[in-house]
Amino acid sequence: MSKIKIVSSIKDDIADDSGWCVSFQLAWNELQYNILGNNFEFNKKNQYLSNLTVEDNREYYLNKNDYYVKSGGATLNLKNQIQNDILDKFNERSDILDKFQFDNADFSSRLFIYAILVKHFKFNGDFDESTRLFGKKKQQVKFFGADNFDKRLKQVNPMFYNNQNDFAVRVLDADEKNSLIFYRTDGTKNFEDAYKECLQKSYVSHNGLKVRSFFAPNININLLQDFECLKNETVVRKSDNMPMQIAEAMQTIKFKLDKSGAELKSEAGISMRVTAIFHEETTACDFDFNDSFYLFYVDNICYEHGNDRPCMALRVNDIDKFIS
């Protein structure tokens, strides 16, 4: 069984059963804007690099308590500092740092960029659990949700309902600081275009909807992606004509979704070889996500900045890959 593929940019083409998280973009932005000064040359024929460097990827509005970014010479001192910092801030240990090379000295010929995103999502009351069928294969898996206009459905906001294969809801957490968007569709677009499409459909028609029921499958994934598509690519900082080659580029995504809420932890690391150091409710609808769908995790602080973008996205088709 093929694994779920993580893409490095929200703009990358995807297949069914894919994932993305902003943590790698945060690490790349540290490289692009703080280390390269956004003045550099790179291989524009590499579409993955081109997608990462687009200007509108620069700003992702997130709660500062939920992420951490650090860069410097790839020394053991830097590794230890990152480990101590994320333990203090998140009470988390890294799943990725041991996969990179760090020098046992104060000087290193490599640069290391690191980012982590940790988010906790609590529903306003646990949903019910049930076993239901998912997809065309009719796989029996665990779902969570409620029906019969249960009071817990008040946290489920309908976005639109065009037909039984085209609908979406936004579910708020107990503090209304984050939301999960479930978008049922058979179409396969990159995460950025799918998210925009979902929002556009909600702008066109979302009035007069009432949630009679809502069901979604449990998800439990622990992914590691080694971005071979970026390895050995060279960027040249124009201010001093310094070439830097990507030695390693990796990302992890741990995501668990069940009746109580969601837990997200995603780390990203980039190692560079360098030569020097530096409503109105009227119509009742059933929102049953029992076939291919997108899931977007949104930090609601982005609305305050007029920048409605997710911080994580999944494309779920083969549910077996998402319940390990």
Side-chain angles (χ1 to χ4, degrees):
M1 181 174 64
S2 61
K3 66 177 184 178
I4 302 165
K5 180 181 179 181
I6 300 177
V7 292
S8 56
S9 169
I10 196 173
K11 301 176 184 295
D12 288 353
D13 291 337
I14 69 166
D16 278 328
D17 305 317
S18 298
W20 167 84
C21 187
V22 73
S23 58
F24 192 83
Q25 188 70 57
L26 295 177
W28 182 266
N29 288 352
E30 173 73 7
L31 171 65
Q32 179 173 344
Y33 295 100
N34 293 340
I35 296 170
L36 300 175
N38 200 30
N39 186 20
F40 62 101
E41 294 179 347
F42 67 97
N43 178 13
K44 294 182 173 60
K45 293 182 180 180
N46 186 322
Q47 190 61 49
Y48 301 102
L49 277 177
S50 296
N51 289 343
L52 285 166
T53 60
V54 175
E55 177 69 20
D56 65 11
N57 282 334
R58 183 170 186 172
E59 296 294 345
Y60 277 90
Y61 294 102
L62 301 165
N63 189 317
K64 292 182 178 180
N65 294 326
D66 294 341
Y67 71 94
Y68 167 88
V69 180
K70 189 71 177 178
S71 64
T75 65
L76 285 178
N77 285 337
L78 177 66
K79 180 181 180 181
N80 291 335
Q81 181 180 356
I82 292 172
Q83 289 174 325
N84 291 333
D85 287 348
I86 65 174
L87 186 61
D88 289 342
K89 184 167 185 175
F90 305 113
N91 195 29
E92 292 281 356
R93 299 187 184 278
S94 175
D95 302 313
I96 202 172
L97 288 176
D98 287 342
K99 301 182 183 298
F100 291 87
Q101 175 184 331
F102 292 90
D103 294 334
N104 188 17
D106 293 333
F107 173 87
S108 175
S109 61
R110 291 191 182 213
L111 179 73
F112 182 69
I113 305 101
Y114 174 85
I116 183 173
L117 176 71
V118 178
K119 296 184 75 65
H120 306 282
F121 189 108
K122 180 70 175 175
F123 290 131
N124 190 11
D126 287 1
F127 284 103
D128 297 327
E129 287 186 317
S130 60
T131 299
R132 302 171 70 88
L133 300 179
F134 184 93
K136 297 174 178 59
K137 296 181 180 179
K138 304 299 182 183
Q139 297 150 278
Q140 286 196 348
V141 297
K142 287 185 178 180
F143 276 66
F144 64 91
D147 57 9
N148 294 324
F149 304 106
D150 189 286
K151 63 181 181 180
R152 290 167 294 179
L153 294 173
K154 292 181 179 179
Q155 63 192 307
V156 181
N157 299 313
M159 297 178 68
F160 66 89
Y161 190 99
N162 291 329
N163 56 60
Q164 63 181 359
N165 296 315
D166 187 21
F167 52 83
V169 298
R170 184 191 296 269
V171 186
L172 298 174
D173 67 3
D175 297 325
E176 299 189 359
K177 293 182 178 180
N178 297 273
S179 56
L180 294 173
I181 292 179
F182 297 80
Y183 173 28
R184 167 72 184 101
T185 179
D186 289 323
T188 304
K189 298 183 176 181
N190 70 34
F191 288 122
E192 181 178 59
D193 290 343
Y195 186 69
K196 290 179 179 178
E197 178 182 74
C198 179
L199 294 185
Q200 183 60 40
K201 288 180 180 180
S202 71
Y203 298 150
V204 172
S205 176
H206 67 277
N207 293 324
L209 296 180
K210 185 175 183 178
V211 179
R212 177 167 50 205
S213 67
F214 162 75
F215 291 98
N218 288 5
I219 291 176
N220 189 4
I221 56 174
N222 185 357
L223 310 177
L224 169 67
Q225 187 73 47
D226 191 347
F227 293 119
E228 296 285 348
C229 56
L230 301 176
K231 282 186 182 180
N232 299 319
E233 291 286 354
T234 298
V235 295
V236 179
R237 186 169 59 189
K238 290 185 178 180
S239 62
D240 54 6
N241 292 319
M242 179 185 291
M244 306 180 191
Q245 187 179 61
I246 300 174
E248 300 286 347
M250 299 181 191
Q251 184 177 28
T252 64
I253 298 179
K254 285 185 174 181
F255 182 71
K256 183 178 180 181
L257 173 67
D258 59 23
K259 66 178 183 179
S260 300
E263 300 290 333
L264 169 64
K265 175 186 176 184
S266 179
E267 294 179 273
I270 304 173
S271 177
M272 308 287 294
R273 299 185 187 97
V274 296
T275 57
I277 293 298
F278 74 79
H279 317 281
E280 179 188 355
E281 300 181 349
T282 56
T283 303
C285 300
D286 299 311
F287 294 88
D288 191 349
F289 292 86
N290 61 1
D291 209 332
S292 303
F293 69 95
Y294 287 90
L295 172 62
F296 300 101
Y297 196 131
V298 182
D299 188 324
N300 290 348
I301 197 172
C302 65
Y303 303 136
E304 301 173 12
H305 297 271
N307 188 346
D308 191 352
R309 308 181 78 180
C311 64
M312 190 211 73
L314 298 176
R315 172 63 179 170
V316 181
N317 183 57
D318 185 346
I319 193 62
D320 280 345
K321 299 178 183 178
F322 292 84
I323 56 178
S324 59

